[in-house]
Amino acid sequence: MVDAEKRLLANALQDADNQHFVLLSESCIPLHNFDYVYSYLMETNISFIDCFEDPGPHGTGRYSERMLPEIEKKDWRKGAQWFSIKRQHAVLILADSLYYTKFKLYCKPGMEGRNCYSDEHYLPTLFHMVDPTGIANWSVTHVDWSEGKWHPKSYKARDVTFKLLKNITSIDETVHVTSDAKKVVQKRPCLWNGSKRPCYLFARKFVPETLDNVMNLLSNFTALFE
C-alpha cells in the first residue's frame, strides 16, 4: 500500500505545477465545491496527515524493537492513510529510505505474532519525527468507524440525506479512540491557521448506488452553505 502511494506521488510530482496532493479512493465524495476545497488546502502551509498516539494493541502493540535505533517506541504513531500533503512533504516521502526500509522489513501482517499495517503507521510516525509542526494531525477525509468493525461504515443510497451531509460538514473536532481496554477518547479541535474550522473536505465510503443521491444533494447543499 505504501509503495502504491509512493508511485502515485512520484508520478504526480513530475508536473512542477502540482503543489498539493490528495489521496482519495473510488468511494470518496467531495463535501464542498472546488473553490472551498482549493482555498482550504492552498491557503495554509501545513499538510493534513492523521496522527495520534495509541498505546493499545492496534497502536504501539504493533511496534517492533527491530526498528531501533532509528524509530523508538515513544515516537510510534497511528493514523488513517487518507493524506493531503504539500509538495515539500511529497518530496520528503519519496526521498526517505531510512524509515521506509524499517517499515518495509518490520511492519507487516503476521510478523512476530502481530499484524502491523504500514499504511496506518508509516506517514504518521515519519512526520511526527521529522516535521511534527508541519502537519495538522487529522485527515480531511471523514470516515465513520462508529460500528466498531474491521472496516468503516459504507453508506448506501438510503443513507445519503441532507442531514448526513450537514452533520459531517459541521464536525469541527477530531475524535480518536485508543485500542486498549481503557478505550480513551482523544478529542482535538480542527485548527486551520489558528482558527477552529470544520475538519472535512471529503467523506467515504459511499457505494456506487449512492451516486444519483449524492449528485442531487450536493448541488443544492453547496449552493446553500458556501
Side-chain angles (χ1 to χ4, degrees), residues 59-157:
T60 51
R62 294 171 173 172
Y63 172 79
S64 169
E65 290 190 351
R66 294 192 185 190
M67 293 189 170
L68 291 168
E70 290 83 1
I71 304 171
E72 298 181 43
K73 191 172 186 178
K74 67 180 179 61
D75 292 320
W76 187 258
R77 293 295 184 272
K78 182 180 180 179
Q81 71 184 100
W82 309 106
F83 61 72
S84 172
I85 58 176
K86 295 294 184 186
R87 187 177 184 90
Q88 68 265 27
H89 284 154
V91 171
L92 188 155
I93 291 168
L94 290 188
D96 170 52
S97 60
L98 179 66
Y99 302 111
Y100 166 80
T101 301
K102 288 287 185 174
F103 274 88
K104 191 172 183 66
L105 291 175
Y106 305 121
C107 178
K108 44 193 174 184
M111 186 169 187
E112 299 176 343
R114 59 172 73 89
N115 291 318
C116 186
Y117 303 98
S118 288
D119 58 304
E120 295 181 11
H121 299 282
Y122 171 58
L123 292 185
T125 301
L126 173 67
F127 282 94
H128 172 72
M129 294 179 68
V130 303
D131 191 10
T133 61
I135 63 172
N137 293 318
W138 85 84
S139 166
V140 290
T141 299
H142 178 267
V143 185
D144 184 351
W145 289 96
S146 63
E147 293 180 339
K149 299 178 180 177
W150 283 106
H151 297 284
K153 177 181 176 63
S154 287
Y155 295 103
K156 309 294 192 296

Side-chain angles (χ1 to χ4, degrees), residues 44-59:
T44 185
N45 61 359
I46 58 173
S47 292
F48 296 91
I49 296 175
D50 194 27
C51 178
F52 75 106
E53 186 173 8
D54 177 7
H58 299 158

Side-chain angles (χ1 to χ4, degrees), residues 8-21 38 42 85-88 90-91:
L8 287 170
L9 287 173
N11 189 63
L13 279 166
Q14 292 179 16
D15 186 339
D17 289 335
N18 289 337
Q19 295 299 310
H20 203 99
F21 306 83
Y38 186 88
M42 298 300 289
I85 58 176
K86 295 294 184 186
R87 187 177 184 90
Q88 68 265 27
V91 171

